[in-house]
Amino acid sequence: NAGVTQTPKFQVLKTGQSMTLQCAQDMNHNSMYWYRQDPGMGLRLIYYSASEGTTDKGEVPNGYNVSRLNKREFSLRLESAAPSQTSVYFCASSEQRQSTYEQYFGPGTRLTVT
Amino acid sequence: AQSVTQPDIHITVSEGASLELRCNYSYGATPYLFWYVQSPGQGLQLLLKYFSGDTLVQGIKGFEAEFKRSQSSFNLRKPSVHWSDAAEYFCAVALNTGFQKLVFGTGTRLLVSP
């Protein structure tokens, strides 16, 4: 059981380049999330997918798009990277049943935009 | 809007001493409450959670937390800190209605001195 996996672990982009961050979970969870983590800001929700086939904006969605490819996979795309998107990105998944709202996190992707 | 406050950015504790990390939340009703730990370069791991019932909850690694409704607090405690506890700790809350999204505090970095 790998849990939540993310690729790549590290990435350096130039301003204006595009890339897709991949996330997969093997826990059969319905819900998946993308966060960014910046110093002094905690984790902020970018987008989430309550269930396969649905996606919704979180707190900081501007500059990002997502795709819930299937129940396992949830990708985050930066169409035109900006230095302000330099951050550590975390994917998470969870169930949405009573008393089981725990989110399980991947190891993160450290992205630098120059 | 809901918010979570962790007033201490850094805390240094001697190995073997007790620890208390503070967390206050702002909600109209009792939310679901969580503490996560992030070791350097890693994703987040759940330490413990509170949904209802006994206000003192036990978690992994010897941690506990107490929910105090009157103070809107959910402080994390450990009676004797180990060097391996050095990490960043995040408090998070979720509304107990509808789809569960976590709102994170800004984190407290724990340093453990010999």
Side-chain angles (χ1 to χ4, degrees), chain A residues 1 8 12 15 23 25-26 48-49 57 80 98 104 107-108 110:
Chain A
N1 228 4
V12 179
T15 297
C23 173
Q25 52 92 9
D26 62 3
Y48 66 97
S49 171
K57 295 177 181 179
S80 178
Q98 189 77 18
Y104 294 80
R110 187 173 294 274

Side-chain angles (χ1 to χ4, degrees), chain A residues 36-44 59-60, chain B residues 88 90 104-107:
Chain A
R36 60 178 289 172
Q37 182 181 27
D38 303 293
M41 306 283 286
L43 277 79
R44 293 179 293 169
E59 182 185 353
V60 288
Chain B
E88 189 150 23
F90 292 94
F104 284 86
T106 51

Side-chain angles (χ1 to χ4, degrees), chain A residues 9-78:
Chain A
K9 286 188 167 35
F10 301 94
Q11 184 71 49
V12 179
L13 290 179
K14 290 184 165 43
T15 297
Q17 288 185 317
S18 63
M19 79 161 296
T20 299
L21 280 64
Q22 306 287 353
C23 173
Q25 52 92 9
D26 62 3
M27 294 173 282
N28 202 36
H29 286 164
N30 288 321
S31 304
M32 298 185 74
Y33 315 79
W34 276 105
Y35 293 90
R36 60 178 289 172
Q37 182 181 27
D38 303 293
M41 306 283 286
L43 277 79
R44 293 179 293 169
L45 184 64
I46 304 171
Y47 270 93
Y48 66 97
S49 171
S51 60
E52 188 178 355
T54 70
T55 61
D56 284 286
K57 295 177 181 179
E59 182 185 353
V60 288
N62 290 346
Y64 305 95
N65 285 301
V66 291
S67 295
R68 183 76 183 266
L69 304 170
N70 48 54
K71 191 171 186 180
R72 289 187 64 248
E73 298 172 288
F74 189 38
S75 63
L76 178 72
R77 182 158 179 86
L78 286 70

